[in-house]
Amino acid sequence: MNNFSYLQAEKAKEATAAKRDDKSAAFIAGGTTLLDLMKLNVENHDQLIDVNMLPFRGIEMNKNGLRIGALERMSDVGEHPLVVQNFPAVSQSLLLAASAQLRNMASIGGNVLQRTRCGYFRDTAFPCNKREPGTGCPALEGDHRNLAILGTSETCIATSYPGDLAVALTALDAVLTLENAKGKQREVPITKFYLLPGTTPQRETVLEADELLVAVTIPQTEAARKSMYLKVRDRASYAYALVSAAVGLEVQGGVIRSAKVALGGVGTQPWRAPEAEKLLVGKAPSEAVFRAAAEAALRGAKPREHNAFKVEMAQNTLVRALSEVAA
Amino acid sequence: MDMTSNTSNQKENAPTNVVGKPMDRVDGPAKVTGAARYSAEISVPGTVYGVLKTSTIAKGRITNIDTSRAAKEPGILNIFTHQNLPKPAKTPKQVEKWRAAQSYLPMQDDQVQYAGQPVALVVAATLEAATQAAALIKVTYQADAPIDSYHDPKAELFDPQKIQQGKKDSHVVRGNPKQAYDGAAIKHEATYVHAINHHSPMEPAATLAVWEGTDKLTVYESSQNVTMHQGALADLLGMPREQIRVVTKYIGGGFGCKGSFWPHTILTVLAAKAVNRPVKLALTRQQMFTGVGHREDQEQTLQLGATTDGKLVSIVHSKKATTSPWDNYTESNGKIMDMLYACPNYSTTYELARANVMTSVWMRAPGEAPGSFALESSMDDLANQLNIDPLEIRLRNYADHDYSNDKPWSSKSLKQCYTRGAELFGWDKRNAKPGQNRKGRMLVGHGMASATYPVHSSQGTARVRLFADGHAVVEAGATDLGTGTYTVMTQVSADALGLPPEKIRFELGDTRLPTAPGSGGSVAAGTVASSIMAAAEDVWDKVVKMAVADKKSPLYKAKPTDVKVELGRMFLAKDPKKGETLLAALGRNGQPDIEGSGTGKYGAGYEEKNFGQNGADPNNDNKEKKTGGHSMHSFGAHFCEVEVDPDLGTVRITRWVGVHGVGTVLNLKTATSQMMGGAIYGIGAALMEDTFRDPNYARYTNADLAGYHVPVNADIPNIQVEFVPETDPYINYLGVKGIGELGMVGVAAAVGNAIFNATGRRMRSLPITPDKVLEALRQPA
């Protein structure tokens, strides 16, 4: 890890201006991803701007839904009664992630911005288009068992966001609030926040250099209230998802009125499945309907040798999750 | 205490008699309070820090090393590369009987032979500066295409003739296996794959090298075997052993990887000498994957020939595995197939392929763990094919003696283990038909497998010093992996001297102490306990001599040979109430303390010494056998229940029963923990442990504990462990069999067999991950 200077920002503008003026700076909140990557020399920052003192906290319901300050910790949000009652998928996605120690440190904003676990990205001995554009992608012919099958390109097949929370947020149409060095805020739906790798896998989100993620707002819907997050992994705890599903259904009079479906572990970004949602809405819930929706969700998949299993596993995970929320 | 009671009552009323009791760990408080210092936590005045820079490529040549930026970091003492690191007196290749698995020493020239090989060593005043400087060194390579494994099209399989540093033959044949297999009524053939596994102890490997002048060296090493480390250092440095001291007071797990000698130790020692300061170096977690060996990637093909009633007539085994460019190390998987069952014909062959990887090394239950996976999975198949209960087929093939060498067993309680395990587990309620047992959506399955591990021959010495004030210092240069050596040896010493355990100070982990074997091959407990007893006997003899010459002693004028000692009390064998304690006699004598020493033997050596060439078996007069006597093994049985999710492919273990026959149990608590740990370690290999070596770069892609999965608490069910009573007079003084490896043997097979019972699908590739289960479920049963 290189030496760096440390700035504890007391005002948002101080933080965002410092970031604007220093291309090599990074914000630090919980640091659970950042310090890890700095120790691996995958990220090298001259300056860390500590944002923990900034007032981006609080978990409260307003007219737009549940607003969560970006500096709230994963464990606090996952266990908050408003989240547990109104957004079970969000609560589950948080509490099934990482370990208790990490959840106590990691912030919501940092979680949404966490980086891929692709082994080639995390080891500077390997080429990696995401880390060093143009050097190549050994994962294509190498270890891609836990990499993406949707949204991939020939330059990158990483599950760019490997975590859980953003999958639930993607299903439930969360909106992210970003604030820049001028103090101006803008709102970006999470479904438009992440970028596909294309030919520029190093660009992962629409976040500008001077922007700080300050809040996450989740609209309160019936489907969100009847939602769940199902995670499949190699061991029972402390493992990234092989495949996960965040789903919510609003069923009235035996008919699905609204459906929210997103997948984790399979896409280069948290993967919303509008094709699946379209197939569900207006139908009576049944295993056949869920199966058709699951197949639609994976239709565009481009599996490779070691991750071909994800197609079936993701379909089965979706069917299981939809069956459970419909029950 | 009522001195008039007979000896057996005395035993019960003695202040001690703690051997076997579930005593708490004597080092527990030091460990939980942080008072226990592991090797990397020890500092001496002037200590500076070493950090390794390792190769990014797996094969090629270093063309340039630019240290200019690195040298600007604050407090750099030196940056060593192959160009300026002082050479050892000898390289491992030049040592006549090199003690370690790997014979290649990096940083001697510009060659790179495996990814993660040390190419530079930075020494700096702080760990931080050394770490950053290592990152700033720019190494330029000329890279060649590496060979990644025996799968590589460039790899060539060869017959090594000898495996395991030349200790074992790569071909073993007994009877007429091929003919017997060809003629067998029932033939079963299958191939089993084992992933690369890494030991992954919590404590990383670490070295603190402290020179006094140029001819005296102390090394604080994370070592499972201080004597081995001392000897290897003496060999490489060309120094007499007595000028080298190796100290290891605590180990945070080793599982075999700290029982061999690896490059980081000698590189640190050479650097320390060059900078004339104590240098401390600990491997990073990533470096632990390319610094201290691994269990090799391997596949085994196993042919079982049997009669229609399930009796084995032939076992034909072969193994392919990856090895390093220099060494022919591979686990001897065949051993267990040769001896576990009553089978008249057997053969095994090994083929290896050189690849650009470091030399693999013994990892908990080397050979037996992967070997038992193949054998016990095939036995389960055979049982299913012939519609015989898996337990019954094992009983039909029960070996009443060791078929591999025609010797009788020194003791064997496998039948009792099967019976008691089945009873605890409720094996009779198992549905033999696969795929029938459901719990909600889950498929439930029950499986079992046998465990066995040999009693290796070993010996060691110990010193006992009994003080007249009622305490004792007991010493042996053994190590404690964290499994309880400190504790069980305190118990043994307490009973040997008749003192309460808190009056015993047991010292280990130092080459200045009497030589003991390392913690490896499950020999430590039995050997060190026997050494302590031999040293205690020396003390007894000396005190008995005092007593019989002492007018005030009840034993005055008795013949020393008529005096027995039990739990610290001397008495006449014929008249037990006539006697006194060792302390009473010593105190009257006016001597403040008395010292004894002795050699303890474990295994065949013990038997030969005490029972003669042919052991105690009068019928064994077969002169062709190298040593007479008995075949010595521990045995056990595992039973488990799994739940398989047929849609998601996940496997959860919901129940585990392990019953073992291990001779004398020295501490019920630590022994039980040890067997639980074995089951957990086996569950890791069975379900999740898998290091991925990239086929093009021959470099690992998941070299940390987030990427390399070991079981977490949530993966482990309640594990029930029992020991069946077993007495073995032939193996060592206290009849102790080793338990370090046994608990892991058969675990993967038990899991696979339970998955078969749950799903009707046979899993032959470890680890059994959800993707493999889903793939198997897609195939017809």
Side-chain angles (χ1 to χ4, degrees), chain B residues 169-388:
Chain B
D169 293 332
S170 67
H171 296 262
V172 181
V173 183
R174 180 163 54 76
N176 214 331
K178 193 180 178 304
Q179 200 181 331
Y181 178 76
D182 290 343
I186 305 295
K187 292 191 186 74
H188 181 276
E189 178 176 338
T191 296
Y192 297 89
V193 176
H194 202 296
I196 303 163
N197 279 184
H198 277 84
H199 311 72
S200 303
M202 283 174 73
E203 181 212 13
T207 306
L208 167 61
V210 186
W211 286 90
E212 284 170 56
T214 54
D215 60 356
K216 235 179 127 194
L217 172 68
T218 302
V219 176
Y220 299 88
E221 175 74 34
S222 185
S223 170
Q224 286 176 237
N225 188 338
V226 289
T227 311
M228 179 278 299
H229 268 100
Q230 181 197 40
L233 283 168
D235 288 342
L236 297 179
L237 296 168
M239 279 168 65
R241 287 175 69 129
E242 58 273 19
Q243 281 164 233
I244 299 169
R245 179 183 175 204
V246 178
V247 182
T248 306
K249 286 297 172 189
Y250 296 97
I251 308 172
F255 311 110
C257 75
K258 293 169 182 169
S260 194
F261 189 91
W262 302 109
H264 69 270
T265 307
I266 181 68
L267 296 179
T268 306
V269 165
L270 294 171
K273 193 170 188 182
V275 300
N276 198 22
R277 293 281 286 274
V279 174
K280 183 195 291 194
L281 183 144
L283 298 188
T284 64
R285 181 54 64 183
Q286 284 77 14
Q287 289 169 352
M288 284 295 286
F289 283 78
T290 50
V292 289
H294 56 276
R295 195 192 299 278
E296 70 270 17
D297 35 330
Q298 54 185 282
E299 66 182 60
Q300 307 169 75
T301 298
L302 181 60
Q303 294 175 318
L304 296 184
T307 63
T308 51
D309 59 355
K311 292 193 85 170
L312 291 171
V313 296
S314 185
I315 299 174
V316 179
H317 173 257
S318 64
K319 173 178 169 178
K320 288 180 201 169
T322 302
T323 193
S324 67
W326 336 275
D327 302 308
N328 292 346
Y329 181 88
T330 195
E331 298 176 275
S332 53
N333 302 30
K335 220 165 35 176
I336 187 171
M337 320 216 179
D338 199 2
M339 53 62 66
L340 185 55
Y341 292 115
C343 182
N345 302 290
Y346 159 81
S347 72
T348 187
T349 53
Y350 296 84
E351 280 183 298
L352 302 180
R354 300 213 180 281
N356 293 101
V357 301
M358 77 182 310
T359 305
S360 57
V361 76
W362 44 82
M363 177 166 167
R364 200 171 194 174
E368 275 75 10
S372 65
F373 174 59
L375 179 60
E376 290 294 85
S377 298
S378 284
M379 287 299 280
D380 201 67
D381 263 355
L382 211 55
N384 186 65
Q385 192 181 332
L386 299 173
N387 208 15
I388 303 170

Side-chain angles (χ1 to χ4, degrees), chain B residues 653-677:
Chain B
I653 294 167
T654 48
R655 270 197 307 140
W656 198 277
V657 171
V659 179
H660 304 276
V662 297
T664 303
V665 172
L666 292 174
N667 179 322
L668 187 60
K669 190 179 201 170
T670 55
T672 301
S673 294
Q674 181 95 317
M675 304 315 289
M676 283 185 188

Side-chain angles (χ1 to χ4, degrees), chain B residues 639-695:
Chain B
F639 295 80
C640 80
E641 178 182 86
V642 299
E643 289 182 12
V644 180
D645 189 317
D647 304 314
L648 308 180
T650 47
V651 177
R652 295 286 175 252
I653 294 167
T654 48
R655 270 197 307 140
W656 198 277
V657 171
V659 179
H660 304 276
V662 297
T664 303
V665 172
L666 292 174
N667 179 322
L668 187 60
K669 190 179 201 170
T670 55
T672 301
S673 294
Q674 181 95 317
M675 304 315 289
M676 283 185 188
I680 294 167
Y681 214 72
I683 289 169
L687 294 181
M688 59 194 82
E689 294 191 39
D690 186 355
T691 327
F692 189 94
R693 194 185 291 136
D694 181 276

Side-chain angles (χ1 to χ4, degrees), chain B residues 690-737:
Chain B
D690 186 355
T691 327
F692 189 94
R693 194 185 291 136
D694 181 276
N696 296 311
Y697 293 83
R699 183 177 178 88
Y700 298 122
T701 58
N702 59 338
D704 62 40
L705 292 183
Y708 182 81
H709 292 150
V710 298
V712 296
N713 281 327
D715 292 301
I716 302 303
N718 179 39
I719 295 177
Q720 196 176 0
V721 170
E722 270 197 22
F723 299 99
V724 297
E726 184 179 83
T727 305
D728 192 325
Y730 303 114
I731 51 175
N732 53 57
Y733 193 106
L734 291 171
V736 176
K737 289 178 179 175

Side-chain angles (χ1 to χ4, degrees), chain B residues 7 30 210 246 310 325 340 402 417 564 567 585 637 675 677 749 773:
Chain B
T7 44
V210 186
V246 178
L340 185 55
D402 186 345
C417 294
K564 272 185 80 178
L567 297 175
M675 304 315 289
V773 175

